[in-house]
């Protein structure tokens, strides 16, 4: 069977999958007695028609870019890292330690230190499953799932027993010094006296996530290491024949993946809450899997998919606020997107391939 054009594979297949997910989501909304058109309009109004809505949408987008890139880098080496949630939690510990115990004079230095610490802590948390996969054959899916739960327990212990200020009941660290606070979009872009982006958590970390997209593109498609990662992912046997060490590639790919997931905490812990809290990740590590699937593991696709899921997260909050539609419905919609872009991908792809093949035959006849 002939191959589809690249543009159809990159744009048409995800678009049709997305429309199918939207169609079945509308049926679910109808099933609970709500109007899907009104629900969609409310989501658009709350997420895209106001600057504050954009501020929240881009905040969620930042999280999903980091976790989507983390999944994508590992997947290029045929490793399914679903431990982004735990790696981001431990990355947050690194952010908290450098912000609480190092007297940064300015946020520009603090974000460099926090990003480095988040990446190192996230990578360290990913190293153990990587080593077990590479040296012992322990399946990376099982170990990374387990490490998510271990990370949650470690984080809870540190917040309750170590980092919680004396006399405070809330399981959270002390607030970071004011010099480390990152500028948000209101402070960066709103003219004096303007309400633009007021109250929205989007901050300078969004641009850090864009730099991460560029970094991953250069790494995977422009470097020898990226070539080794991709060749290992296509065929481990061929890569070994060419002299690539499976242990080295497995460990390095997971370290980079863990570092990217850990850097999500710069947005949540330093940029938004300005202290370490228990549930700052809010499931972004798992959403990153859907983002990477829908984005075809390419940084541009991941950026677009992260924007979509950021819209769903903020739009879902608006639905829960103004209608009887529960916010959990957004989880259902996300699951439908994963279903159609991942598990049922061939249901869309194969008819399109037949269609393009028939066009090709007519042109050659």
């Amino acid at each position: 069977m002939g191959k589809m054009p690249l543009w159809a594979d990159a744009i048409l297949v995800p678009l049709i999958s997305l429309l199918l997910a939207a169609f079945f989501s509308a049926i679910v909304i109808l099933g609970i007695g709500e109007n899907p058109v009104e629900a969609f309009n409310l989501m658009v109004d709350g997420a895209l028609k106001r600057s504050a809505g954009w501020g929240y949408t881009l905040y969620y987008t930042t999280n999903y870019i980091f976790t989507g890139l983390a999944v994508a880098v590992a997947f290029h080496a045929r490793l399914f890292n679903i431990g982004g949630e735990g790696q981001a939690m431990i990355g947050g510990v690194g952010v908290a330690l450098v912000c609480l115990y190092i007297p940064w004079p300015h946020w520009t230095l603090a974000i460099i230190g926090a990003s480095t610490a988040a990446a190192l802590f996230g990578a360290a948390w990913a190293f153990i499953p990587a080593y077990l996969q590479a040296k012992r054959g322990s399946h990376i899916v099982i170990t990374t799932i387990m490490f998510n739960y271990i990370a949650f327990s470690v984080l809870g212990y540190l917040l309750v027993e170590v980092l919680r200020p004396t006399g405070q009941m809330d399981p959270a660290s002390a607030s970071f010094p004011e010099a480390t606070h990152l500028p948000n979009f209101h402070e960066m872009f709103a003219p004096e006296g303007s309400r633009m982006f007021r109250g929205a958590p989007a901050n300078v970390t969004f641009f850090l996530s864009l730099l991460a997209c560029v970094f991953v593109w250069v790494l995977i498609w422009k470097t020898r290491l990226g070539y080794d990662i991709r060749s290992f992912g296509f065929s481990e046997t061929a890569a070994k024949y060419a002299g690539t060490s499976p242990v080295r590639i497995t460990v390095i790919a997971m370290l980079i993946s863990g570092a990217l997931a850990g850097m999500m905490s710069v947005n949540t812990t330093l940029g938004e809450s300005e202290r370490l809290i228990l549930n700052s990740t809010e499931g972004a590590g798992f959403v990153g899997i859907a983002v990477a699937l829908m984005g075809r593991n390419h940084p541009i696709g991941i950026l677009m998919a992260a924007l979509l899921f950021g819209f769903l997260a903020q739009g879902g909050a608006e639905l829960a606020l103004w209608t009887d539609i529960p916010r959990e419905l957004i989880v259902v919609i996300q699951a439908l997107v994963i279903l159609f872009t991942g598990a049922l991908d061939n249901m869309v792809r194969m008819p399109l391939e037949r269609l393009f093949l028939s066009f090709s035959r007519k042109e050659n006849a």
Side-chain angles (χ1 to χ4, degrees):
M1 182 168 292
K3 289 186 65 176
M4 280 189 298
L6 187 60
W7 66 268
D9 186 41
I11 299 174
L12 196 56
V13 174
L15 182 63
I16 293 175
S17 299
L18 191 62
L19 290 175
L20 286 170
F23 173 74
F24 284 99
S25 299
I27 292 177
V28 173
I29 294 174
L30 278 174
I32 61 176
E34 297 286 342
N35 186 325
V37 176
E38 290 179 3
F40 179 74
N41 287 337
L42 186 57
M43 291 177 69
V44 171
D45 184 58
L48 303 179
K49 288 188 177 178
R50 293 181 283 113
S51 62
W54 267 107
Y56 276 95
T57 299
L58 292 178
Y59 168 75
Y60 293 122
T61 298
T62 304
N63 293 340
Y64 301 153
I65 288 174
F66 279 120
T67 54
L69 291 173
V71 174
V73 168
F75 194 76
H76 280 293
R78 283 294 183 268
L79 298 167
F80 201 12
N81 176 21
I82 56 177
E85 190 81 1
Q87 291 146 19
M89 289 181 199
I90 299 302
V93 174
V95 171
L97 292 179
V98 299
C99 289
L100 288 173
Y101 297 110
I102 297 178
W104 301 101
H106 195 266
W107 69 265
T108 51
L109 297 176
I111 193 173
I112 295 173
S115 300
T116 305
L120 289 176
F121 274 62
W125 199 249
F127 172 76
I128 304 172
Y131 178 83
L132 292 174
Q133 166 81 39
K135 300 291 276 188
R136 301 294 179 188
S138 304
H139 203 289
I140 201 83
V141 171
I142 304 299
T143 51
T144 48
I145 286 177
M146 293 169 61
F147 268 66
N148 284 337
Y149 290 101
I150 297 172
F152 184 77
S153 300
V154 169
L155 180 61
Y157 170 79
L158 290 174
L159 286 176
V160 173
E161 302 293 341
V162 180
L163 295 174
R164 182 167 57 111
T166 305
Q168 178 178 298
M169 299 299 291
D170 188 20
S173 74
S175 295
F176 300 154
E178 192 172 342
T180 66
H181 294 181
L182 301 182
N184 56 38
F185 275 20
H186 177 70
E187 295 164 338
M188 294 167 66
F189 300 121
E192 190 172 348
S194 170
R195 295 174 59 86
M196 182 186 294
F197 291 118
R198 179 173 290 181
N203 59 78
V204 70
T205 314
F206 173 70
F207 301 103
L208 188 63
S209 70
L210 298 182
L211 289 176
C213 290
V214 176
F215 165 75
V216 169
W217 180 76
V218 172
L219 170 73
I220 297 296
W221 281 278
K222 298 295 177 182
T223 67
R224 172 63 186 270
L225 176 61
Y227 176 81
D228 287 344
I229 290 174
R230 286 184 291 130
S231 61
F232 179 75
F234 279 120
S235 172
E236 180 177 347
T237 305
K240 286 169 69 176
Y241 186 75
T244 301
S245 166
V247 173
R248 172 176 165 269
I249 293 300
T250 299
V251 171
I252 289 177
M254 281 299 293
L255 288 177
I256 297 171
S257 178
L260 288 166
M263 287 182 68
M264 188 202 88
S265 61
V266 178
N267 187 43
T268 56
T269 302
L270 181 57
E272 197 267 333
S273 63
E274 296 170 346
R275 59 178 184 158
L276 183 61
I277 58 177
L278 194 58
N279 191 29
S280 62
T281 54
E282 296 182 301
F286 297 114
V287 177
I289 299 169
V291 169
L293 276 174
M294 190 167 182
R296 294 293 190 267
N297 296 306
H298 191 285
I300 294 177
I302 288 170
L303 174 61
M304 296 295 105
L307 273 169
L308 169 67
F309 278 83
F311 161 73
L312 288 176
Q314 173 56 18
E318 293 289 330
L319 281 182
L321 185 63
W322 300 112
T323 70
D324 292 330
I325 298 175
R327 188 168 185 172
E328 286 72 18
L329 179 72
I330 297 306
V331 179
V332 175
I333 296 175
Q334 289 174 349
L336 287 169
V337 172
I338 296 171
L339 181 69
F340 283 102
T341 58
L344 299 181
D345 181 75
N346 278 339
M347 189 180 77
V348 175
R349 182 181 300 279
M350 293 178 72
L352 282 176
E353 284 182 345
R354 292 193 193 96
L355 184 64
F356 280 102
L357 180 62
S358 66
F359 287 154
S360 176
R361 284 174 176 168
K362 285 179 181 176
E363 288 177 359
N364 294 332

